[in-house]
């Protein structure tokens, strides 16, 4: 499913292991990694040969730490705007997943407050896994695929996220399907009718999931979509939230959607 993963390694420390375990990602089909360090073009030192040499050496250290994992591993150093370069590389290489992590809680907060993650989500059509990293060592384990929470509004633009969750379901321990009632629909047809319609659509979505996986658990939520989704994720100990972006056409592709953006933040 994720045969080729592009890893945004530009926040990794040279003395840290980028991955502590790849068992789950390999089970999902990962056979190739491309480790990428993007030197920000607005800084003059990013254009120096010394900076590129140091970045490549760091990536080579990370590559060495992954040897013996039965993976093909490439490294690449680029100069530019990180989100743009990651999206461009992933598309050019035919990647099936972009993996973004950060070392340390403070660094992750800094990363998320900036525009890199949001810009990447807006720019790329490649599925993107944003995995918070905590602690002294940089570890991205892929263990977020065990308890999956899919957020859907049943629109055509949610279809890709739904298909992603369906593809991940067989190896998951729990699958949670969540939909937040649309206030406009409630006003138009009444709460009871809106609830009945939403439950019917959740049941239909659950029927698309493979029988070999866990039976989907259905959650019909009311209130602010981002708040209720995040509350449900915490209460149910979800390890992965799957949510679609808004974009469809060339211009819409840059529209992330208010709920998705708030969940990312």
């Amino acid at each position: 499913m994720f045969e080729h993963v592009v890893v945004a390694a530009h926040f990794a420390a040279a003395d840290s292991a980028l991955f502590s375990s790849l068992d789950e990602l390999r089970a999902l089909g990962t056979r190739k990694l491309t480790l990428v360090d993007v030197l920000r073009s607005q800084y003059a030192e990013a254009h120096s040969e010394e900076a590129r040499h140091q970045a490549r050496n760091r990536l080579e250290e990370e590559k060495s730490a992954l040897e013996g994992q039965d993976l093909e591993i490439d490294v690449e150093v680029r100069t530019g705007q990180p989100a743009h370069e990651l999206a461009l590389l992933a598309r050019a290489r035919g990647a099936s997943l972009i993996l973004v992590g950060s070392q340390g809680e403070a660094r992750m907060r800094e990363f998320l407050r900036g525009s890199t993650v949001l810009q990447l989500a807006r720019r790329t059509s490649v599925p993107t896994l944003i995995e918070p990293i905590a602690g002294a060592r940089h570890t991205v384990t892929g263990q977020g695929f065990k308890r999956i929470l899919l957020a859907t509004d049943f629109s055509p633009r949610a279809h890709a996220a739904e298909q992603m969750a369906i593809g991940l379901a067989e190896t998951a321990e729990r699958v949670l399907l969540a939909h937040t009632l649309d206030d406009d629909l409630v006003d138009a047809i009444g709460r009871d009718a809106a609830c009945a319609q939403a439950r019917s659509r959740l049941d239909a979505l659950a029927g698309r999931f493979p029988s070999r996986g866990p039976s989907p658990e259905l959650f019909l939520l009311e209130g602010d979509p981002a708040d209720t989704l995040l509350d449900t994720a915490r209460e149910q100990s979800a390890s992965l939230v799957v949510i679609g972006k808004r974009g469809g056409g060339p211009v819409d592709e840059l529209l992330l959607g208010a709920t998705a953006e708030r969940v990312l933040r």
Side-chain angles (χ1 to χ4, degrees):
M1 186 174 186
F2 299 130
E3 182 176 352
H4 181 191
V5 180
V6 167
V7 183
H10 51 282
F11 286 96
D15 61 352
S16 65
L18 184 60
F19 293 94
S20 65
S21 169
L22 285 170
D23 290 344
E24 194 172 9
L25 285 172
R26 282 203 305 270
L28 292 168
T30 300
R31 297 295 178 265
K32 179 178 180 179
L33 303 178
T34 298
L35 309 183
V36 186
D37 194 332
V38 181
L39 304 178
R40 293 179 181 270
S41 56
Q42 64 263 42
Y43 301 120
E45 59 269 23
H47 298 275
S48 71
E49 284 303 315
E50 181 181 0
R52 295 184 65 84
H53 179 71
Q54 290 176 351
R56 180 165 290 276
N57 283 346
R58 183 169 67 248
L59 291 180
E60 291 291 348
E61 290 184 23
E62 298 289 359
K63 178 180 176 179
S64 296
L66 295 171
E67 289 181 351
Q69 298 277 1
D70 192 27
L71 291 166
E72 177 186 350
I73 304 173
D74 292 334
V75 301
E76 181 152 348
V77 177
R78 291 197 166 200
T79 301
Q81 200 280 331
H84 173 75
E85 293 299 326
L86 288 167
L88 193 66
L89 177 65
R91 183 171 65 250
R93 298 289 179 86
S96 44
L97 181 72
I98 300 173
L99 182 57
V100 181
S102 178
Q103 182 179 4
E105 184 179 344
R107 294 295 296 276
M108 190 61 185
R109 286 200 299 267
E110 176 185 350
F111 191 41
L112 288 176
R113 277 201 298 267
S115 63
T116 299
V117 168
L118 294 177
Q119 289 295 334
L120 178 59
R122 291 187 182 106
R123 289 178 178 272
T124 187
S125 58
V126 177
T128 301
L129 173 62
I130 302 165
E131 184 157 353
I133 309 302
R137 293 184 63 79
H138 187 131
T139 56
V140 180
T141 66
Q143 294 175 0
F145 296 107
K146 291 300 183 184
R147 297 179 302 281
I148 301 168
L149 171 59
L150 168 66
T152 182
D153 61 2
F154 307 121
S155 71
R157 288 169 174 168
H159 182 72
E162 293 170 358
Q163 290 301 115
M164 177 62 65
I166 289 169
L168 294 170
E170 285 191 24
T171 57
E173 295 173 353
R174 295 180 67 196
V175 173
L176 318 173
L177 310 183
H179 171 73
T180 302
L181 283 179
D182 186 310
D183 290 339
D184 291 338
L185 182 63
V186 171
D187 291 341
I189 66 175
R191 183 179 178 280
D192 289 346
C195 286
Q197 182 182 108
R199 290 190 184 281
S200 175
R201 301 186 79 172
L202 280 172
D203 286 338
L205 176 59
R208 292 164 50 195
F209 279 73
S211 58
R212 291 185 296 275
S215 297
E217 304 168 44
L218 310 184
F219 292 82
L220 183 56
L221 311 175
E222 296 184 62
D224 178 84
D227 289 343
T228 57
L229 177 62
L230 290 171
D231 287 344
T232 302
R234 284 189 288 266
E235 292 166 2
Q236 299 299 321
S237 299
S239 57
L240 175 68
V241 175
V242 180
I243 188 168
K245 61 184 292 184
R246 181 178 174 184
V251 176
D252 284 348
E253 189 68 20
L254 296 177
L255 301 176
L256 184 57
T259 300
E261 181 169 336
R262 288 180 58 196
V263 169
L264 281 178
R265 290 184 180 278

